[in-house]
Amino acid sequence: MRPRLLLLIAILSVALSSGGSLPEQTVWSGLIIATNSPPIEPTPAEVTQIEGTLRKLFGYSQFQLIGEARKTLKTGEEDWLASSKYFSLHVDSRGEKADAYVLNLKLFQEQKLLLETKARLSKASPLIIRGPQVGDGQRPAFRSEHSSIAYATPKC
Amino acid sequence: MFMKTFEEKWTAWIDDQLTGRELEKFLASLPDRTAAEAEKQNAKQVGSLLREQAMALSNADFFSHQLRGRLDRENAPIRSEPDAIRTGWWTIRRLLWGGITSLAVFAICTVLVFREGTPPSQSQYLTQILGAQVDPTVSPNATITMFQKKDDHVTVLWVDGLQSLPPEYAAK
């Protein structure tokens, strides 16, 4: 049976709004499956700018969004969840410091915590997290894998 | 009694101040009275002339002052009107340049202070991973590697050894 190659991606993006005394920033996060199969859906716009990097890193050619979330940060201390059917990426913002967000990220497989990380997420500098492999269940060697990717980039 | 010298008696005789016995004694002492008389006449003429000239130059001090003033003005170094204006503007220009220079120095110092005081935009830097962990009971064989790809401006948290999952986990 032909193996399937998959990649899970979580994306965070930051948008600046002109209103108000403090600029509001929107963070986008997403879970993406990477695969070498023919594309079913177009690559998400948030991933397009780092698509080349993802291809170099993981060796996959196509990227499919399976879950996303968009959060406008007002206090810088919000939390949100980007989820798919089986995976979820919980993002807990602990405030802005030196023009970057300190985030606690938790990658869940259903209710099971797979990975926990703390990062200082800078604008226009994505955080890419390689998650578990996902195989077709018929091959002892998994050729597909899931990874989560998180990044923040300013939107003008 | 005070004795007058010959010169004093001579001056007094010229001025017709000698009289009586004193005059006789003086005239008797003169070696050449005719020459003395001639000299007296000459002296009187000179005196008259000087008095006339003195009358004519009664405002001599005023004219002298005027004359000196004119000479001073004529001999003074010539300074044209534009020069005078330029000299006036030179002072203002110096003030202007001083002010501009001070403002420039102040602006430079302000910029330097703000650049030192304000951290550079974090967006110029890569995302930093402050820490990462997996549950060893769930993924006992998992390993975590962190690295940055500066050329692509990405930070990667590479986790190996997580439990592999069936393909249905790729569902939306």
Side-chain angles (χ1 to χ4, degrees):
Chain A
M1 182 177 177
R2 188 169 179 269
R4 298 172 61 201
L5 305 176
L6 307 170
L7 176 67
L8 175 67
I9 300 173
I11 298 176
L12 304 173
S13 63
V14 180
L16 301 175
S17 65
S18 57
S21 57
L22 293 174
E24 292 181 351
Q25 298 183 325
T26 299
V27 178
W28 184 87
S29 56
L31 298 169
I32 292 176
I33 291 293
T35 178
N36 283 327
S37 301
I40 302 173
E41 296 175 358
T43 303
E46 289 79 2
V47 179
T48 302
Q49 53 189 305
I50 60 167
E51 191 173 1
T53 301
L54 295 177
R55 284 175 178 163
K56 285 189 293 183
L57 277 173
F58 300 105
Y60 298 115
S61 60
Q62 305 299 326
F63 304 95
Q64 179 187 354
L65 182 67
I66 61 171
E68 66 175 326
R70 213 180 286 267
K71 183 69 176 179
T72 299
L73 299 182
K74 296 181 178 178
T75 65
E77 295 182 355
E78 290 92 347
D79 66 298
W80 63 95
L81 194 68
S83 57
S84 65
K85 184 175 181 180
Y86 294 102
F87 293 100
S88 60
L89 179 68
H90 180 256
V91 184
D92 183 11
S93 175
R94 295 302 179 90
E96 184 180 8
K97 188 175 182 181
D99 207 20
Y101 286 106
V102 177
L103 303 177
N104 280 342
L105 303 169
K106 292 178 181 177
L107 179 62
F108 290 93
Q109 173 199 325
E110 297 174 301
Q111 301 300 318
K112 190 188 301 180
L113 177 62
L114 294 179
L115 172 69
E116 185 172 10
T117 182
K118 184 177 184 180
R120 185 193 302 271
L121 193 65
S122 180
K123 297 172 184 175
S125 177
L127 171 64
I128 301 172
I129 303 173
R130 182 183 187 268
Q133 291 181 330
V134 176
D136 55 19
Q138 297 183 12
R139 296 180 66 90
F142 292 101
R143 295 191 182 183
S144 60
E145 63 187 20
H146 281 204
S147 292
S148 59
I149 298 174
Y151 82 97
T153 182
K155 290 181 177 178
C156 299
Chain B
M1 184 177 174
F2 178 72
M3 294 292 293
K4 293 182 178 177
T5 62
F6 177 79
E7 287 76 15
E8 287 174 337
K9 290 178 180 174
W10 174 268
T11 302
W13 177 64
I14 294 294
D15 293 338
D16 295 327
Q17 298 295 320
L18 288 180
T19 56
R21 187 175 181 82
E22 192 177 16
L23 176 59
E24 291 174 0
K25 287 179 69 176
F26 175 75
L27 291 175
S29 66
L30 291 175
D32 185 354
R33 184 171 178 179
T34 306
E37 289 290 347
E39 191 170 347
K40 179 180 179 180
Q41 290 303 316
N42 287 337
K44 284 185 175 296
Q45 287 177 356
V46 169
S48 300
L49 182 61
L50 287 174
R51 276 191 293 274
E52 290 174 2
Q53 293 299 320
M55 290 293 290
L57 294 174
S58 60
N59 294 326
D61 290 341
F62 172 76
F63 289 123
S64 175
H65 175 74
Q66 292 289 91
L67 187 60
R68 281 201 200 94
R70 183 170 179 177
L71 289 172
D72 288 343
R73 285 193 296 273
E74 290 178 355
N75 293 331
I78 298 173
R79 200 173 72 178
S80 62
E81 188 173 350
D83 284 343
I85 294 173
R86 201 174 299 131
T87 302
W89 277 101
W90 168 240
T91 302
I92 295 174
R93 196 165 58 185
R94 281 175 60 185
L95 288 173
L96 283 175
W97 277 112
I100 291 171
T101 305
S102 300
L103 285 175
V105 170
F106 175 76
I108 291 171
C109 291
T110 303
V111 168
L112 289 176
V113 166
F114 271 93
R115 285 186 65 181
E116 288 181 1
T118 305
S121 175
Q122 192 71 14
S123 61
Q124 299 175 3
Y125 300 107
L126 296 175
T127 290
Q128 293 177 307
I129 298 173
L130 305 177
Q133 62 182 11
V134 295
D135 187 345
T137 59
V138 175
S139 306
N141 299 319
T143 59
I144 297 175
T145 306
M146 309 171 196
F147 60 92
Q148 294 175 324
K149 290 182 68 66
K150 294 183 178 178
D151 292 342
D152 297 321
H153 291 279
V154 298
T155 300
V156 180
L157 180 61
W158 192 281
V159 184
D160 268 329
L162 294 175
Q163 183 183 6
S164 298
L165 301 170
E168 56 264 29
Y169 276 80
K172 288 186 178 178

